[in-house]
Amino acid sequence: TTIAENLNKRQLLKMMIKSSSLSIILAAFLSTSASAFGISNHYGSQTIKRAGSSLSMSSALIIQNKGGGHGELGFQIAKALELNEKITSVTILQDDACNDEREPFKSYGSDIPNVNIVKTSLADESMTSESLKEILGGKSFEYVWDNASKGPVGSGKAICDCAKEWDTKLLTYVSSAGIYQPTGEFPMPETTPVKESAGQNQYDNYAVELGVPLVSFRPQYIYGKKASKNDYLDWFFDRLVRELPLPIPSSGSQKVSLTNSEDVASLLTAALGNEEAAIEQRFFNCGTDQIYTYDEVA
């Protein structure tokens, strides 16, 4: 019996499975100023036309990192885009440092077979918009999701520059809630001061200065079935099933939100439903309203 199969013995993660709470937030979110956002759809290097659809057909590019906390998001964004009639083809520009034997990368062929996968080194700081366009075979994209860049250097700058040259309709950037300065206010609104030196902040600023239609999301802790950052979690789960104590840093009163990767992807693609409203607000926290202390998680 694996550790994962034994998790129900302690139900440690019951609060993590409450994706309905994010659905409530999303429903409320869609009814406000950024209201009419939709949820996503279809791929392939071939153009797929839907009978009876009068929508203009557009291509999407997802830039995906090698793994880690955001490792599953590119996969889930691609799946979400299959549900949106606005998108007819999807390409994932995948960092070639990923491990194809691990999730979610090993599921690309089986779960999203129509997506065009292009591999390259996203760590190459010499990359320019010209070399990136060459890597992508000269194609242009109406919609771009950047789930890899940590700042406007190398591939990050090249992506922004290409988005400008392509006249991209929407550049959606996966930033981080770690961009905020600690203020003591919790939860933190999008108006919370950010760390000026943070690479994500510099990326936002560069894209805005270029005049790219940027929408920047700031997720916190992400989990999912195909997460690629499980090694350290296994240590905790191993202790749980053996009913050993869990070491907790500091007082254990620190607050945290835990959000399912599929729910995060639904938010990241929601801007397709009302692009103008999304661009007008520009910055969005991305998470659930369920807040727990470290002690409660343990």
Side-chain angles (χ1 to χ4, degrees), residues 21 42 46 89 104 119 216 227 252 281-282 285:
S21 62
H42 224 121
Q46 299 179 348
S89 69
K119 287 191 173 183
S216 184
Q281 178 165 330
R282 180 153 284 145
N285 287 335

Side-chain angles (χ1 to χ4, degrees), residues 49-123:
K49 295 190 176 181
R50 292 174 177 75
S53 174
S54 61
L55 294 173
S56 61
M57 302 307 179
S58 301
S59 59
L61 174 66
I62 301 167
I63 298 91
Q64 176 56 46
N65 67 5
K66 64 181 180 180
H70 289 188
E72 188 179 355
L73 288 183
F75 172 82
Q76 296 296 352
I77 290 169
K79 290 186 67 177
L81 289 174
E82 283 191 303
L83 305 177
N84 194 300
E85 291 186 344
K86 186 179 286 188
I87 304 299
T88 54
S89 69
V90 172
T91 296
I92 292 179
L93 180 64
Q94 176 63 58
D95 189 341
D96 61 10
C98 70
N99 185 343
D100 290 331
E101 301 303 314
R102 301 188 64 178
E103 296 288 7
F105 316 112
K106 72 176 184 179
S107 292
Y108 281 0
S110 60
D111 291 18
I112 48 174
N114 293 320
V115 174
N116 182 34
I117 309 297
V118 177
K119 287 191 173 183
T120 192
S121 173
L122 295 179

Side-chain angles (χ1 to χ4, degrees), residues 16-240:
M16 299 170 79
I17 311 173
K18 293 182 180 178
S19 61
S20 59
S21 62
L22 185 60
S23 299
I24 294 172
I25 284 186
L26 182 57
F29 173 64
L30 301 184
S31 65
T32 60
S33 62
S35 58
F37 288 12
I39 311 249
S40 20
N41 186 119
H42 224 121
Y43 336 161
S45 51
Q46 299 179 348
T47 299
I48 302 170
K49 295 190 176 181
R50 292 174 177 75
S53 174
S54 61
L55 294 173
S56 61
M57 302 307 179
S58 301
S59 59
L61 174 66
I62 301 167
I63 298 91
Q64 176 56 46
N65 67 5
K66 64 181 180 180
H70 289 188
E72 188 179 355
L73 288 183
F75 172 82
Q76 296 296 352
I77 290 169
K79 290 186 67 177
L81 289 174
E82 283 191 303
L83 305 177
N84 194 300
E85 291 186 344
K86 186 179 286 188
I87 304 299
T88 54
S89 69
V90 172
T91 296
I92 292 179
L93 180 64
Q94 176 63 58
D95 189 341
D96 61 10
C98 70
N99 185 343
D100 290 331
E101 301 303 314
R102 301 188 64 178
E103 296 288 7
F105 316 112
K106 72 176 184 179
S107 292
Y108 281 0
S110 60
D111 291 18
I112 48 174
N114 293 320
V115 174
N116 182 34
I117 309 297
V118 177
K119 287 191 173 183
T120 192
S121 173
L122 295 179
D124 180 6
E125 294 194 357
S126 68
M127 184 182 292
T128 65
S129 61
E130 291 305 313
S131 60
L132 177 56
K133 286 186 288 187
E134 184 176 347
I135 291 167
L136 293 168
K139 296 180 181 178
S140 62
F141 298 87
E142 287 81 9
Y143 297 94
V144 177
W145 280 262
D146 187 349
N147 184 43
S149 301
K150 300 300 182 183
V153 294
S155 60
K157 182 178 184 300
I159 291 160
C160 292
D161 292 343
C162 280
K164 177 67 173 180
E165 294 172 28
W166 293 331
D167 198 22
T168 294
K169 296 177 181 178
L170 203 63
L171 169 60
T172 301
Y173 179 48
V174 186
S175 180
S176 170
I179 198 174
Y180 291 122
Q181 296 180 26
T183 62
E185 182 180 8
F186 199 86
M188 293 180 173
E190 287 89 344
T191 53
T192 303
V194 300
K195 302 168 186 173
E196 295 297 327
S197 62
Q200 293 92 338
N201 178 57
Q202 293 173 11
Y203 182 105
D204 289 337
N205 290 338
Y206 181 70
V208 171
E209 288 169 5
L210 276 182
V212 173
L214 173 76
V215 179
S216 184
F217 286 87
R218 297 163 177 172
Q220 193 180 22
Y221 294 110
I222 305 167
Y223 70 95
K225 293 180 180 179
K226 295 185 183 295
S228 60
K229 198 175 181 181
N230 289 330
D231 292 348
Y232 73 99
L233 292 176
D234 288 344
W235 184 87
F236 289 96
F237 292 158
D238 178 64
R239 297 184 69 84
L240 283 170

